[in-house]
């Protein structure tokens, strides 16, 4: 009932303005004649008061408006429009449209003109010089598809990441060239792929993806450290958490303890800013060194004993 009243009140303000205030001359068709300005003012105040009491707010923002939600990098831009009628905390009407722009002009990828409205959102590389947007597929694609909108031969192009790489891309460092997905590393500039083995949850469409649990990646892209359980166990005066230690070459995966008391930054988190979803916050404090075989080995945080999950007793 409140939603209907709100809609009627807003419509009444618009109609009153259009037929009366915006038309100072008589309108024979509607039999409307000018009224004293005091009555005009009173009617507008009453109608706006009703709208205010009902808690109605209207939003009309185009993709080209300066304050439109947007992600920009160089000549590329992804922006949203919003036309909505809000009543309290709920929408009576809401229409969102999305668009891609190149050099300030709307651009639709040939053969996939509706791509902008299918994606859930876009971000940019941590490298500010890289003229590219990274966009994730929206609801219709279960948020598991990744698109790269970039410049090639001075024109925009779209590259869809092969589905065999999986979902949940995350930047592995601030250079902003390599991403880690469930089943591969991917270079957004060269399209080079490196297979990844051993990542958990890869066969579960509703399972966690790298961006949700990975804490750090070795510089040689052969080891991934992730959070298994960051709720500490108090053991002999120490606070121990459990981490995934994954060899992405062989696929070997184990769960190791680490001291949260010694490395409290394992719980660090950094929110997206300036259109960038940064690499995991703890990763910048990881310390790696080369072993005798030239492979990167984790020094900090120090990995302690192996956690072995208890198995239920076998049925007899």
């Amino acid at each position: 009932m409140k939603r209907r009243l709100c809609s009627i009140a807003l419509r009444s303000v618009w109609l009153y303005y259009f037929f009366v205030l915006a038309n100072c001359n008589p309108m024979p068709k509607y039999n409307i004649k000018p009224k004293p300005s005091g009555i005009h003012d009173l009617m507008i105040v009453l109608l706006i008061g009703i709208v205010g009491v009902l808690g109605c707010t209207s939003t009309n923002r185009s993709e080209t408006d300066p304050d439109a939600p947007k992600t920009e990098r160089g000549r590329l831009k992804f922006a949203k429009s919003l036309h909505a009628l809000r009543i309290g905390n709920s929408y009576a009407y809401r229409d969102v449209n999305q668009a891609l722009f190149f050099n300030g002009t709307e651009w639709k990828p040939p053969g996939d003109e509706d791509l902008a409205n299918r994606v859930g959102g876009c971000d940019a590389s941590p490298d500010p010089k890289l003229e590219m947007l990274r966009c994730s597929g929206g609801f219709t694609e279960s948020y598991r598809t990744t698109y790269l909108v970039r410049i090639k031969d001075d024109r925009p192009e779209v590259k869809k990441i092969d589905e065999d790489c999986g979902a949940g891309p995350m930047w592995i460092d601030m250079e902003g060239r390599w991403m880690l997905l469930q089943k591969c590393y991917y270079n957004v500039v060269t399209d080079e792929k490196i297979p990844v083995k051993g990542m958990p949850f890869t066969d579960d469409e509703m399972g966690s993806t790298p961006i949700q649990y990975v804490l750090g990646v070795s510089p040689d892209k052969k080891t991934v450290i992730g959070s298994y359980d960051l709720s500490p166990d108090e053991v002999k005066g120490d606070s121990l958490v459990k981490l995934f230690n994954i060899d992405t070459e062989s696929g070997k995966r184990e769960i190791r303890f680490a001291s949260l008391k010694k490395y409290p930054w394992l719980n660090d988190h950094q929110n997206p800013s300036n259109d960038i979803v940064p690499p995991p916050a703890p990763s910048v404090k990881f310390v790696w060194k080369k072993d005798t075989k030239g492979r990167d080995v984790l020094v900090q945080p120090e990995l302690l004993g192996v956690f072995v999950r208890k198995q239920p007793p076998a049925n007899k």
Side-chain angles (χ1 to χ4, degrees), residues 137-284:
F139 174 76
T140 59
E141 299 178 10
S142 301
Y143 303 99
R144 299 182 70 83
T145 312
T146 303
Y147 298 92
L148 304 177
V149 182
R150 57 194 182 184
I151 304 296
K152 183 178 181 180
D153 298 329
D154 210 37
R155 295 295 303 167
E157 70 163 10
V158 173
K159 171 66 178 179
K160 181 180 179 181
I161 305 298
D162 294 336
E163 294 183 6
D164 60 2
C165 273
M170 52 156 277
W171 301 109
I172 68 171
D173 54 37
M174 289 302 291
E175 290 184 4
R177 293 294 192 273
W178 285 96
M179 302 187 302
L180 170 64
L181 296 93
Q182 290 173 308
K183 299 179 182 180
C184 81
Y185 294 103
Y186 194 95
N187 189 305
V188 299
V189 176
T190 65
D191 295 325
E192 179 185 355
K193 292 193 299 183
I194 301 174
V196 164
K197 300 177 182 178
M199 300 292 282
F201 320 118
T202 56
D203 296 325
D204 183 357
E205 288 191 359
M206 302 301 293
S208 298
T209 57
I211 197 172
Q212 295 172 296
Y213 65 85
V214 171
L215 300 178
V217 178
S218 64
D220 61 6
K221 296 180 283 295
K222 294 181 179 180
T223 305
V224 168
I225 304 297
S227 61
Y228 174 80
D229 185 358
L230 293 181
S231 299
D233 295 324
E234 301 301 321
V235 180
K236 298 180 180 180
D238 203 352
S239 298
L240 300 182
V241 294
K242 305 177 188 74
L243 305 178
F244 282 120
N245 180 34
I246 306 167
D247 182 330
T248 58
E249 271 194 321
S250 68
K252 180 183 178 181
R253 181 175 73 232
E254 58 184 8
I255 301 169
R256 302 282 295 273
F257 289 102
S259 172
L260 189 62
K261 184 173 290 187
K262 189 175 182 180
Y263 308 107
W265 42 262
L266 285 170
N267 272 325
D268 284 358
H269 175 74
Q270 183 178 358
N271 290 321
S273 62
N274 299 321
D275 299 332
I276 298 170
V277 179
S283 66
V284 300

